[in-house]
Amino acid sequence: AGGAKMTVGQEIRGSAAWALRWLACGAACAVAFDIEAHDAIGQTAASAMDHEAIRQTKRLLGGQDVSDVAGWGHQVDDTFPGMARMHFQVHDDSSGQPHCGPEAYMTMKCEDSICLLNAIKHFYGKILKDEGRPIDFPAMDYNKAQEGIKFSDADAVKMLINLLGDLHQPLHVGYTSDDNGHAVKVKFRGKEMSLYDFWDKGIGETIRTEQSGFWYGGWTHVRAISSEHQADKDFWKKEGSFASFDKWMHESVMFACEKVYVHPTTGKKLAGPGADLGQVVEIDEGAYQAWNKMWLRQILMAGQRTAIVLNDILDASGAEKLDNKAKVTTKADEEKAKEYKTLEEERKKNPRFTAGGGSRISPAHVNIPVLLTNFGIACVTVPLFMVVVNYGLNPQVWYTTVLALLETDKGGGGDGAPNGAAGRSVKRTE
């Protein structure tokens, strides 16, 4: 998968930011999927986007595409820890509600109306309103999450892209009793981690390490799930956006309950009634391979659904009304601005300096010794190349050719008489 990559340092979350985030939204808070996974989601989305939606995306995002802003939501959380609540839809099973019970008994926590599903509907509705296509959508007081923060249209698009990816990380819609998988300890190839971390980054890191050719080999394309993409488009067209968001949320909850909270090879429940949260669960190779395939499919599903949403909001005449000026400035944005400022100052001091770190192209200069050396090499290699092209590499052909040349020298007396083998044609054998 391509797109903008973040350094290891950018991926590490500071301890202070983490502490504030836990206070803001409880122990469930953490990033959703790693940056590379979000990048793959963006790549998949781009493969299913209409030309006009792609053009509007680049206009709103300053020339960037979906995968380039894959980690923006996490950068917002780093700068404004209170915003982390938007990335989760935690189900409360602490007050008698069953863990992974019937849908009618599921209770979703959404304090101050700030949670994943509400945030998706809010930013989607906000964008449509600014396009001149107003719909009823959940209001959200950003100040209850982070004092003073405001979102422009461009910011709303970036946040929506990130949140749609989060929706498909199944443990972002998990349960309070197991702390969204954080309380479930697993061991994979000798390394212990939480079930949440295994799904958030463990599987992806293993794939990139052991299957790098596959990861960077173009698998992030909507054609891999074309039937699911068509079905989702048909449902969106028939039932509408909010019904689609509700359906996608329900599918993620069911996926968490039926696939993630259950060991794929033993069938043992990893959380909920009867599960031993104090036990470290071994993830064998069979379990990893089963989850590997499921994890990859979640990435593709997130990407194709992101494309459906972006095509709807950006492949429309009202998209030109959307403001491309950002209001949210993250710490990463500030660092980037400092880098640009430093480069500009250096360029002014040194006219030969370029933004790429090099210098202007010097006038062409011919190095005579090097030219003669290359010419000598060509005098040898080019004739040999032509001989190989004409006669091939078959030893028998070479032997016959040499004999023919020798017979020509002996029979022709040096005056090119046609009595010898020089008049023959040598047939190339394949």
Side-chain angles (χ1 to χ4, degrees):
K5 304 296 187 292
M6 296 180 68
T7 65
V8 174
Q10 287 173 307
E11 292 188 50
I12 298 175
R13 304 313 194 210
S15 57
W18 270 108
L20 288 171
R21 192 177 306 177
W22 287 85
L23 290 173
C25 60
C29 291
V31 296
F33 284 135
D34 59 15
I35 299 302
E36 294 281 355
H38 271 290
D39 178 69
I41 291 171
Q43 294 276 344
T44 306
S47 73
M49 288 173 64
D50 300 337
H51 175 75
E52 180 60 20
I54 292 174
R55 187 185 73 82
Q56 288 291 347
T57 298
K58 290 187 175 295
R59 182 185 71 82
L60 287 167
L61 306 184
Q64 300 180 103
D65 59 28
V66 178
S67 61
D68 292 328
V69 297
W72 188 79
H74 302 326
Q75 294 169 11
V76 171
D77 294 349
D78 287 341
T79 310
F80 309 103
M83 301 304 296
R85 281 195 282 167
M86 287 187 180
H87 301 267
F88 291 84
Q89 192 81 42
V90 184
H91 289 76
D92 187 7
D93 60 340
S94 61
S95 57
Q97 304 301 327
H99 184 282
C100 288
E103 184 178 8
Y105 295 98
M106 291 182 181
T107 303
M108 293 189 288
K109 297 176 68 175
C110 193
E111 185 180 352
D112 299 323
S113 297
I114 299 174
C115 56
L116 180 55
L117 185 59
N118 260 25
I120 290 173
K121 292 179 178 180
H122 170 78
F123 286 113
Y124 174 83
K126 179 185 185 303
I127 294 168
L128 258 62
K129 177 183 176 182
D130 292 346
E131 286 184 346
R133 299 189 287 161
I135 61 171
D136 290 330
F137 63 94
M140 186 173 292
D141 184 356
Y142 309 136
N143 288 318
K144 290 184 177 180
Q146 191 71 43
E147 188 71 29
I149 194 169
K150 296 180 179 179
F151 288 86
S152 68
D153 293 326
D155 297 329
V157 169
K158 288 188 287 186
M159 184 58 79
L160 189 57
I161 290 169
N162 198 259
L163 295 175
L164 288 167
D166 294 344
L167 179 60
H168 292 80
Q169 208 287 40
L171 290 174
H172 268 241
V173 296
Y175 282 79
T176 55
S177 63
D178 58 84
D179 191 10
N180 281 55
H182 285 95
V184 180
K185 302 302 177 184
V186 300
K187 181 183 288 187
F188 177 58
R189 297 177 182 174
K191 183 178 180 181
E192 187 175 321
M193 66 189 80
S194 70
L195 180 64
Y196 178 93
D197 286 335
F198 188 64
W199 269 86
D200 196 60
K201 57 186 178 180
I203 297 175
E205 288 176 352
T206 304
I207 294 173
R208 290 190 293 274
T209 299
E210 300 181 354
Q211 301 173 266
S212 59
F214 164 78
W215 183 264
Y216 298 105
W219 65 279
T220 50
H221 198 284
V222 70
R223 61 173 171 264
I225 47 170
S226 56
S227 59
E228 291 94 331
H229 182 55
Q230 187 59 54
D232 280 337
K233 287 198 299 182
D234 292 342
F235 188 89
W236 180 281
K237 184 177 181 180
K238 180 181 179 181
E239 303 295 338
S241 55
F242 282 13
S244 293
F245 296 146
D246 290 338
K247 177 176 178 288
W248 300 347
M249 170 61 72
H250 174 71
E251 289 178 1
S252 287
V253 175
M254 291 298 99
F255 182 81
C257 289
E258 297 171 2
K259 303 296 182 182
V260 181
Y261 281 131
V262 178
H263 195 287
T265 55
T266 66
K268 182 179 179 180
K269 290 186 66 175
L270 304 181
D276 183 3
L277 294 181
Q279 180 183 7
V280 178
V281 180
E282 187 73 29
I283 305 300
D284 56 36
E285 289 301 317
Y288 165 70
Q289 293 299 333
W291 274 347
N292 175 318
K293 293 181 176 62
M294 298 178 197
W295 188 91
L296 290 171
R297 185 178 182 278
Q298 287 299 103
I299 297 294
L300 293 171
M301 291 297 287
Q304 66 93 359
R305 286 171 171 173
T306 299
I308 291 174
V309 177
L310 293 179
N311 284 338
D312 179 69
I313 62 179
L314 298 180
D315 191 4
S317 58
E320 287 291 343
K321 301 177 183 178
L322 299 178
D323 183 8
N324 63 354
K325 293 182 176 61
K327 290 183 179 179
V328 177
T329 301
T330 67
K331 293 177 181 177
D333 294 329
E334 292 174 352
E335 289 298 319
K336 187 181 295 184
K338 289 179 182 178
E339 291 177 6
Y340 284 145
K341 183 178 180 181
T342 301
L343 290 172
E344 182 62 20
E345 290 174 352
E346 187 64 29
R347 186 190 66 79
K348 291 178 179 178
K349 292 178 182 178
N350 183 4
R352 294 175 63 83
F353 183 81
T354 64
S359 60
R360 290 189 231 174
I361 299 174
S362 301
H365 174 70
V366 178
N367 190 319
I368 299 300
V370 173
L371 177 64
L372 292 175
T373 299
N374 289 338
F375 179 74
I377 294 173
C379 288
V380 176
T381 57
V382 172
L384 285 175
F385 174 74
M386 296 305 297
V387 170
V388 171
V389 169
N390 282 281
Y391 296 102
L393 295 174
N394 191 320
Q396 182 62 41
V397 174
W398 284 83
Y399 177 73
T400 304
T401 303
V402 171
L403 286 182
L405 292 173
L406 292 175
E407 289 179 14
T408 299
D409 291 340
K410 293 169 66 173
D415 57 5
N419 298 327
R424 305 175 194 164
S425 63
V426 181
K427 181 179 180 181
R428 177 179 176 179
T429 57
E430 301 296 338

